[in-house]
Amino acid sequence: MLGKIINVIVALLVVLLFLGMMGVSVIGTGWDTVEELPQTPEDQSNIERIGVSVFTKYVVPFEIMAIVLLSALIGAFYMGRGADSK
């Protein structure tokens, strides 16, 4: 019984830490609109400029999303594994 309570407390701490990180990244990020992106006449798609922005100005939100997607992928593998393989 004590082990189950400890697991719940640890899970709640992880969830609160995750929500705190997401809140800080959402509040602390300046969200540019399409009109505010740098424009270059020779490259209308702005792929290079968007890439530079993602890996310089928005590196923290990018890394947080990488962690979120990785945890979702691990969770999907765990859930897809099924009860028979335990």
Side-chain angles (χ1 to χ4, degrees):
M1 184 69 178
L2 181 62
K4 192 173 188 177
I5 293 173
I6 291 174
N7 286 343
V8 169
I9 291 172
V10 170
L12 285 174
L13 287 174
V14 169
V15 166
L16 288 175
L17 179 65
F18 173 75
L19 291 176
M21 284 185 353
M22 290 302 292
V24 167
S25 66
V26 167
I27 292 171
T29 301
W31 301 98
D32 291 339
T33 61
V34 174
E35 292 81 24
E36 296 171 344
L37 287 174
Q39 300 290 327
T40 54
E42 56 273 353
D43 182 20
Q44 292 295 318
S45 65
N46 279 334
I47 292 173
E48 184 177 345
R49 297 283 182 151
I50 291 172
V52 168
S53 293
V54 165
F55 290 112
T56 56
K57 187 175 179 183
Y58 300 110
V59 70
V60 174
F62 179 77
E63 292 296 328
I64 290 172
M65 286 310 301
I67 293 170
V68 169
L69 291 174
L70 178 64
S71 62
L73 183 66
I74 292 171
F77 283 143
Y78 179 76
M79 291 174 59
R81 195 171 66 169
D84 294 337
S85 61
K86 288 184 178 180

